[in-house]
Amino acid sequence: MTKLITDEQRAQLLANDRQSLDNDDFDPPPVVKLFTPDAGATWLLTEIDPDDHDHAFWLCDLGQGFPELGYVSLAELQSVRGRFGLPVERDLHFIATKPFGLPVERDLHFIATKPNSAYAREARLAERIVT
C-alpha cells in the first residue's frame, strides 16, 4: 500500500494544527494534494489532529460540484478506489508555498500560493477545486 503522506508532510500538518489551535486567524497553505486518477476527486490537506493522526483537515472536491471543508480519515482514503479500481494518489509535483487560497497558473507543478480559505472560496464559485 502506497504511503499517502510523507513523514515531512505529516510533521508540517501536525505543526499547522498546533498553530491553528493557538491562533484563530491562522490560515495555512495546503501541504498535501491527494487525488483519484480515475474519478475526479481531489483533497488538499492542511492539518492533522495531534490527538488522532488518522484525521486530517481538508478542502475536498469529489467531482460532483460541491467542494467542502472538513475532516477525513487517512485510513479510509487508503481504501478509496475510482471507477477503474485505481487508489488515491499523492500529487508528487505539488509544491506548497502559501496558505490555502486562490489557484495559480501551473505547468508541471501545482504551487499553493494562498491560504486554504482562498482555495475554498474559489472552489465554491467554480463548483470544483481549481489548481
Side-chain angles (χ1 to χ4, degrees), residues 18-32:
R18 284 189 292 276
Q19 190 166 350
S20 70
L21 291 173
D22 293 339
N23 178 357
D24 289 340
D25 295 326
F26 182 62
D27 190 10
V31 175
V32 180

Side-chain angles (χ1 to χ4, degrees), residues 29-30 94-105 110-116 118-119:
F94 176 83
I95 301 169
T97 60
K98 60 186 170 183
F100 258 156
L102 301 173
V104 296
E105 293 299 315
F110 170 75
I111 301 174
T113 56
K114 303 211 169 130
N116 189 27
Y119 284 104

